[in-house]
């Protein structure tokens, strides 16, 4: 936990607690994060801290303050029974009042930039409250609801939506059965500022880490969609290309490991897919960069850019990497002695950002092509190629299908 609790004043003069996580850099757009039925527990605080790394100042109000102030429940059977009891007695209308008061408090904080509006994000109970807040509170510029239960019973409010709305629905969620899910999809499809996504094969709470139903690919996809919507409405806007180029400048030009690590989040990771090299976490990745990457790359290593796609949260780079294999390269050819061969390989990098820092890198290339070029793999009779893979990427007019013995047989067949 990196945040702190503050008090939110209500319109009636009362107050309740709320967990505050300040944005990376000290100031950012504001988000009210609405809890599950388990209170402002460790999982919700972790969500707030995560969004703070994305560049948001996040306030998590204690929505059960009237009946069970500061309650924190786990996910045991006993705690679930208590949580469900609190949920059944909960007044959603009072919850919207609390969100309104939380938004008002958030907008007064020096750490909050409310110039483009404010956001509301919620999970479970909070997912429905995020939806209702989007429909009822004009100050909500963007709302995101995860597996909100009961939204199908409040679809008549959708016509009041003036901001952006994103809903994430689990296909197997018994709390949102197929008919309810379809009603939500049909209604949101008719509204130009609303989007609803269904995540196949996952259940309620698929985006809660360490839960029984946590599904990392779906959670990551949903998070990217959420942050993209928030970026487009309330910000912040980062120059991802400049951030990425600064990172690779320190990797390949200055060869400065501390400067390289400074461009990344606290716990980043790098995965070179073909060779399983890289590192997870600050310590292991710094060790990898220091002893097995930055200072090991051949002096003539060069990157030739082919294309670049820039999204809201990631950059995808397509390039050719060329070098002379005159030193051992642990990350690319682990355990292989220098061969003196010149190598050119197409590569693809998927670089994910969290706020203004790199979060992870997934780097792909054809290892068979590398092995062919350095003489460790005889391509005869195998569906693999050497430097031709890079050459054809640069010149698409070079022959295709040269590895297909059957290609000539279709020369005169109708198409």
């Amino acid at each position: 936990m990196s945040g702190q609790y503050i008090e939110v004043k209500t319109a009636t003069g009362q107050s309740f607690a709320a967990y505050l996580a300040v944005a990376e850099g000290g100031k950012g757009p504001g988000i009210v994060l609405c809890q599950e039925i388990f209170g402002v527990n460790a999982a919700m605080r972790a969500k707030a801290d995560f969004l703070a790394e994305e560049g948001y100042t996040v306030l998590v109000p204690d929505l059960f303050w009237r009946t069970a102030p500061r309650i924190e429940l786990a996910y045991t059977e006993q705690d679930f029974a208590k949580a469900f009891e609190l949920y059944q007695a909960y007044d959603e209308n009072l919850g919207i009042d609390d969100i309104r008061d939380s938004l008002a408090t958030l907008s007064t904080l020096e750490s909050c930039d409310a110039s483009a509006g404010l956001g509301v994000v919620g999970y479970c109970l909070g997912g429905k409250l995020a939806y209702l807040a989007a429909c009822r509170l004009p100050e909500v510029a963007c709302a995101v609801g995860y597996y909100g239960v009961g939204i199908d019973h409040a679809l008549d409010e959708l016509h009041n939506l003036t901001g952006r709305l994103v809903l994430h629905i689990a296909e197997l969620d018994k709390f949102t059965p197929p008919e309810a899910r379809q009603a939500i999809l049909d209604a949101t499809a008719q509204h130009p500022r609303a989007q609803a996504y269904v995540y196949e094969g996952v259940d309620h709470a698929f985006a809660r880490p360490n839960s029984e139903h946590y599904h990392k690919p779906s959670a990551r996809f949903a998070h990217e969609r959420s942050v993209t919507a928030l970026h487009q409405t309330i910000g912040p806007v980062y120059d991802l290309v400049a951030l990425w180029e600064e990172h690779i400048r320190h990797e390949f030009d200055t060869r400065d490991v501390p400067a390289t690590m400074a461009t990344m989040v606290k716990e980043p990771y790098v995965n070179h897919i073909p060779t399983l090299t890289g590192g997870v976490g600050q310590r292991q990745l710094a060790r990898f960069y220091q002893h097995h990457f930055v200072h090991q790359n051949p002096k003539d290593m060069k990157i030739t850019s082919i294309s670049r796609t820039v999204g809201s949260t990631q950059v995808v780079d397509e390039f050719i990497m060329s070098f002379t294999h005159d030193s051992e390269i642990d990350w690319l050819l682990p355990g292989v002695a220098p061969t003196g061969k010149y190598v050119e390989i197409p590569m693809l990098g998927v670089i994910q950002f969290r706020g203004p820092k790199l979060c992870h890198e997934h780097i792909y290339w054809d290892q068979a092509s590398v092995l062919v070029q350095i003489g460790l793999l005889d391509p005869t009779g195998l569906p693999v190629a050497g430097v031709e893979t890079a050459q054809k990427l640069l010149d698409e007019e070079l022959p295709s299908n040269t590895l297909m013995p059957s290609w000539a047989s279709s020369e005169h067949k109708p198409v």
Side-chain angles (χ1 to χ4, degrees), residues 165-198:
L165 174 68
V166 176
L167 299 176
H168 304 295
I169 305 169
E171 182 190 30
L172 305 181
D173 192 343
K174 63 179 179 296
F175 302 114
T176 307
E179 60 274 15
R181 180 173 72 239
Q182 193 59 51
I184 296 170
L185 293 174
D186 291 343
T188 52
Q190 299 303 311
H191 199 293
R193 297 187 63 80
Q195 296 164 296
Y197 300 98
V198 177

Side-chain angles (χ1 to χ4, degrees), residues 292-359:
H292 305 278
F293 185 81
V294 169
H295 301 298
Q296 267 205 349
N297 289 320
K299 289 182 171 56
D300 70 343
M301 183 169 276
K302 183 178 72 173
I303 292 175
T304 303
S305 294
I306 302 297
S307 70
R308 175 173 286 165
T309 303
V310 184
S312 181
T313 64
Q314 69 180 27
V315 172
V316 178
D317 250 5
E318 183 184 27
F319 56 95
I320 291 174
M321 179 168 281
S322 54
F323 58 90
T324 302
H325 186 214
D326 54 10
S327 61
E328 188 167 334
I329 310 173
D330 283 349
W331 65 273
L332 182 71
L333 289 162
V336 178
T339 62
K341 303 284 188 178
Y342 189 71
V343 178
E344 296 179 78
I345 47 176
M347 284 190 169
L348 189 73
V350 181
I351 303 92
Q352 186 79 36
F353 291 80
R354 190 178 305 146
K357 299 289 184 73
L358 273 76
C359 174

Side-chain angles (χ1 to χ4, degrees), residues 1 55 75 99 105 112 115 161 178 207 211-212 220 227 252-253 273 290 296 306 396 411:
M1 187 176 79
Y75 302 101
I99 294 172
T105 295
C112 175
S115 59
L161 177 69
S211 74
E212 178 186 357
R220 283 184 53 186
V227 172
F252 296 103
D253 294 341
I273 308 297
Q290 181 69 39
Q296 267 205 349
I306 302 297
E396 67 273 11
E411 176 71 26

Side-chain angles (χ1 to χ4, degrees), residues 10 61 88-89 94 161 172-173 230-231 233 236:
T10 72
Q88 288 184 308
L94 291 177
L161 177 69
L172 305 181
D173 192 343
L230 290 162
H231 282 175
T233 49

Side-chain angles (χ1 to χ4, degrees), residues 261-272:
M261 295 303 300
T263 66
M264 309 188 85
V265 296
K266 293 177 182 177
E267 292 299 315
Y269 78 87
V270 168
N271 184 6
H272 297 129

